Amino acid sequence: MVQLLTPEGERVEHPDFRFDLDDEAIKGFYRDMVLTRRIDTEATALQRHGELGIWAQLLGQEAAQIGSGRALRPQDFVFPTYREHGVAYTRGIDPLRLLGLFRGVDQGGWDPNDGNFGLYTIVIGAQTLHATGYAMGLQRDGVVGTGDADRDAAVVAYFGDGASSQGDVNESFIFAASYNAPVVFFCQNNQWAISEPIERQTRIPLYQRALGFGFPGVRVDGNDVLATYAVSKAALQRAREGQGPTLVEAYTYRMGAHTTTDDPTRYRLSEDLEHWKLKDPIQRVRVYLTRNGLVDQDFFDEIDQEAETLGEHLREGCKALPEPHVLDVFDMVYAEGSPELDVQREGFAAYLDSFETAGGSR
């Protein structure tokens, strides 16, 4: 397993991967992870107060998402699941836009072309096929293997250990390998497919499955933001150069629930959770920065205040999200309408207009 920063906050070397950024970048990663965790905890609280219908937590997976997200170039494209809130943050997506989906007022309130970040995918594993097809399209567009760093592009598909058992994921592996597609399959192995442990899903480490499809796999410490960045950067560059797909298994742990409708105390031991708390991805970077005298308390206080401001933005913004109109379904699904849909829309609008009150409003 690739590791460059231990849980005790000590830098270590690896023969194949190295972290090539400076300490300023590590400070930036710390900020990213703290703000990402605040997005998660704030959204969880909003759900508990009835403002969101559900929320998919990422507690404990901040390093996997920030490390891989910061390794992306602007021209790369991301196909997420429904838990990549940290990756969305690195792509410039306002986290308030994420809440609209879980509040039920839209189907994802951001343009995928803004930041090259696709809409969340609820169907488990389906996005890996989308990612592979998009990557094959990049090949045909001539933006792979040209040697132009500002033009060559790659795709990353995020999924969990549970999704690795889906047929869609395995089919995407076959297509990606057969066509040498420039896609990085990034599996966040958080040990639990809802209530099923990883031991019931596979007899070998997940990253080794890639060999059976004909491309390399790497296991990285998913709680180590430096290692995750280094491994993701190498895999993405390999894809951009035309060397094909890579499977990255970020070995981490879901410290929260699968979603806010889940009760993990019913199927896992509290001792396991306490063990993984000692590997907290944020804490190990904080220890590194403090131990090496790279920051003072003001640095942490400023980030904490920024997190408070972000939390206020999410609380106020969530409640102010506009309610959808029922006819939006005709306008927000297809890029262009059709005569048949136009007739359906007009008929449904007339039906709604039939529900008039004495005041003239529906």
Side-chain angles (χ1 to χ4, degrees):
M1 184 166 65
V2 181
Q3 185 181 82
L4 300 178
L5 185 68
T6 70
E8 295 75 30
E10 297 180 358
R11 294 282 296 270
V12 293
E13 299 295 327
H14 189 276
D16 300 320
F17 299 94
R18 59 184 296 269
F19 183 73
D20 57 3
L21 300 180
D22 58 17
D23 287 330
E24 285 300 314
I26 299 177
K27 289 158 66 174
F29 287 169
Y30 177 84
R31 172 183 175 273
D32 291 341
M33 290 192 292
V34 169
L35 296 182
T36 295
R37 181 167 292 186
R38 184 53 180 262
I39 294 168
D40 189 58
T41 56
E42 201 67 49
T44 300
L46 284 166
Q47 192 280 331
R48 298 305 190 207
H49 283 83
E51 300 296 339
L52 300 179
I54 194 173
W55 177 252
Q57 296 176 300
L58 62 73
L59 184 64
Q61 299 177 218
E62 296 87 356
Q65 296 196 15
I66 295 302
S68 59
R70 288 304 183 196
L72 293 160
R73 290 179 182 170
Q75 68 267 29
D76 297 332
F77 205 100
V78 176
F79 285 84
T81 64
Y82 44 78
R83 200 186 304 274
E84 274 66 60
H85 319 313
V87 184
Y89 172 80
T90 68
R91 301 304 274 178
I93 305 299
D94 183 347
L96 183 60
R97 302 262 56 87
L98 306 178
L99 301 189
L101 174 63
F102 295 95
R103 188 172 171 85
V105 301
D106 59 46
Q107 296 299 311
W110 63 92
D111 185 342
N113 293 316
D114 292 340
N116 281 9
F117 185 82
L119 296 176
Y120 276 3
T121 304
I122 306 301
V123 179
I124 305 300
Q127 72 282 359
T128 57
L129 285 172
H130 307 158
T132 301
Y134 191 96
M136 293 166 62
L138 292 179
Q139 290 174 312
R140 287 151 181 77
D141 288 342
V143 293
V144 178
T146 70
D148 185 346
D150 296 325
R151 189 163 180 257
D152 286 344
V155 177
V156 59
Y158 287 90
F159 59 98
D161 50 291
S164 70
S165 300
Q166 292 288 335
D168 284 1
V169 174
N170 290 270
E171 290 164 10
S172 68
F173 286 180
I174 293 171
F175 269 87
S178 298
Y179 289 91
N180 210 41
V183 57
V184 174
F185 296 107
F186 194 94
C187 176
Q188 293 177 84
N189 179 3
N190 63 21
Q191 313 298 308
W192 291 95
I194 306 183
S195 58
E196 290 297 322
I198 187 63
E199 292 80 8
R200 293 185 183 176
Q201 300 176 64
T202 181
R203 295 295 185 185
I204 63 171
L206 289 178
Y207 77 97
Q208 293 183 4
R209 287 186 178 181
L211 296 177
F213 293 91
F215 56 88
V218 182
R219 173 179 275 186
V220 61
D221 183 348
N223 286 22
D224 177 356
V225 70
L226 307 189
T228 304
Y229 171 86
V231 169
S232 300
K233 181 181 178 181
L236 286 163
Q237 184 58 26
R238 182 175 180 276
R240 297 188 200 104
E241 292 174 353
Q243 299 183 48
T246 303
L247 171 61
V248 176
E249 178 193 356
Y251 195 80
T252 181
Y253 191 79
R254 193 191 75 213
M255 291 202 290
H258 176 70
T259 69
T260 47
T261 62
D262 174 42
D263 179 9
T265 63
R266 298 177 61 185
Y267 55 79
R268 71 182 186 190
L269 300 174
S270 59
E271 290 84 353
D272 291 342
L273 177 59
E274 294 303 316
H275 170 74
W276 277 91
K277 283 182 178 179
L278 299 176
K279 302 180 180 182
D280 187 291
I282 296 178
Q283 187 61 28
R284 72 170 68 182
V285 177
R286 184 182 181 114
V287 171
Y288 170 78
L289 294 174
T290 302
R291 175 179 294 166
N292 292 280
L294 300 172
V295 297
D296 55 22
Q297 186 58 42
D298 289 343
F299 171 80
F300 298 118
D301 292 342
E302 289 174 5
I303 293 178
D304 290 343
Q305 183 56 52
E306 189 175 359
E308 289 294 326
T309 301
L310 176 59
E312 183 178 356
H313 167 66
L314 294 176
R315 289 192 300 273
E316 295 182 356
C318 178
K319 298 175 183 179
L321 287 171
E323 293 295 318
H325 191 277
V326 67
L327 292 177
D328 287 347
V329 67
F330 291 96
D331 303 323
M332 309 297 274
V333 175
Y334 294 100
E336 299 178 359
S338 68
E340 181 181 5
L341 283 175
D342 291 342
V343 170
Q344 292 182 23
R345 189 185 195 284
E346 292 172 4
F348 195 39
Y351 171 74
L352 294 174
D353 287 338
S354 68
F355 293 91
E356 296 285 339
T357 66
S361 62
R362 288 193 294 273

